[in-house]
Amino acid sequence: MADILTKIETMIRENGSGLYGGEAVTQTQHALQCATLAEHAGADAELVAASLMHDIGHLLEPDFEGGLERGEDLYHEDLGEAFLEKYFGEAVTQPVKLHVAAKRYLCATDQGYFSKLSPASVHTLNLQGGPMGDEEVKAFEANEFYKEAVQLRIWDDLAKDPQVKTPDVSHFMPYVKQSILEKGV
């Protein structure tokens, strides 16, 4: 278990030093802000861990930013889920996988949501398929973890302020440790 905890902490701390997808924060700042919002909202350990690691797929793909600049969707949500499912259950992996779909869902179901997106999020929304259609909305709502994914998405959108101070990544690692499944040890 110590190996994966160290790997995750190192990835977030060291691999996340680059700017986050055209935003004014680094990957690390974004992850920490998202986890802080989850913690302050009283989310359970799994959702705090998912909030911290929701963009880990960015850190697994060395040319992630280059892909965005070329107009490519590198499916970071799928990369993140594939990496995390070896160690975590669906209460962590599904919100990670679904946080992109949650943006598309909110654009389709909340009239005011699109206007709150940053320019970078609008750009990626277009790469990710735009707002969901009616059938996609129904399928999304059928997922057991769709509400957690929507909440994670809302924190994701708020976690882009370069002035916000957060605890260090080590503060959130107990949530990650608590969320690891027995099979992942």
Side-chain angles (χ1 to χ4, degrees):
M1 180 185 326
D3 289 346
I4 189 58
L5 291 172
T6 300
K7 183 173 184 166
I8 290 169
E9 184 169 359
T10 301
M11 287 174 68
I12 294 169
R13 185 185 306 279
E14 296 176 11
N15 299 7
S17 62
L19 287 181
Y20 164 68
E23 304 290 354
V25 294
T26 67
Q27 289 280 351
T28 300
Q29 288 173 309
H30 177 66
L32 294 174
Q33 286 182 32
C34 199
T36 298
L37 289 165
E39 182 181 59
H40 288 174
D44 62 25
E46 289 85 1
L47 192 51
V48 174
S51 297
L52 179 70
M53 300 183 295
H54 76 281
D55 280 340
I56 204 159
H58 289 225
L59 305 177
L60 294 166
E61 172 54 55
D63 192 34
F64 188 82
E65 294 303 319
L68 287 178
E69 290 171 13
R70 293 187 300 275
E72 299 171 5
D73 182 357
L74 299 179
Y75 301 96
H76 74 283
E77 67 277 21
D78 295 334
L79 292 170
E81 178 197 31
F83 173 76
L84 295 172
E85 70 184 357
K86 297 174 216 145
Y87 309 101
F88 300 93
E90 289 188 332
V92 172
T93 62
Q94 285 300 292
V96 169
K97 179 177 177 55
L98 296 173
H99 80 279
V100 168
K103 176 170 57 172
R104 297 182 62 227
Y105 171 81
L106 286 166
C107 284
T109 61
D110 180 344
Q111 287 185 319
Y113 178 75
F114 181 84
S115 67
K116 297 175 188 171
L117 293 178
S118 70
S121 284
V122 170
H123 172 69
T124 57
L125 172 66
N126 291 325
L127 295 177
Q128 296 157 342
M132 287 182 173
D134 292 342
E135 292 304 312
E136 290 174 299
V137 166
K138 288 178 190 170
F140 181 76
E141 289 175 342
N143 186 293
E144 176 184 355
F145 296 98
Y146 92 92
K147 289 180 182 175
E148 290 83 353
V150 167
Q151 184 58 66
L152 171 54
R153 179 76 232 176
I154 292 167
W155 295 325
D156 184 0
D157 292 325
L158 295 172
K160 299 175 182 179
D161 184 344
Q163 304 304 315
V164 169
K165 302 292 182 212
T166 63
D168 186 66
V169 67
S170 60
H171 170 84
F172 295 103
M173 293 312 294
Y175 294 107
V176 176
K177 181 178 181 180
Q178 183 178 338
S179 301
I180 290 179
L181 295 176
E182 293 289 325
K183 70 175 185 173
V185 205

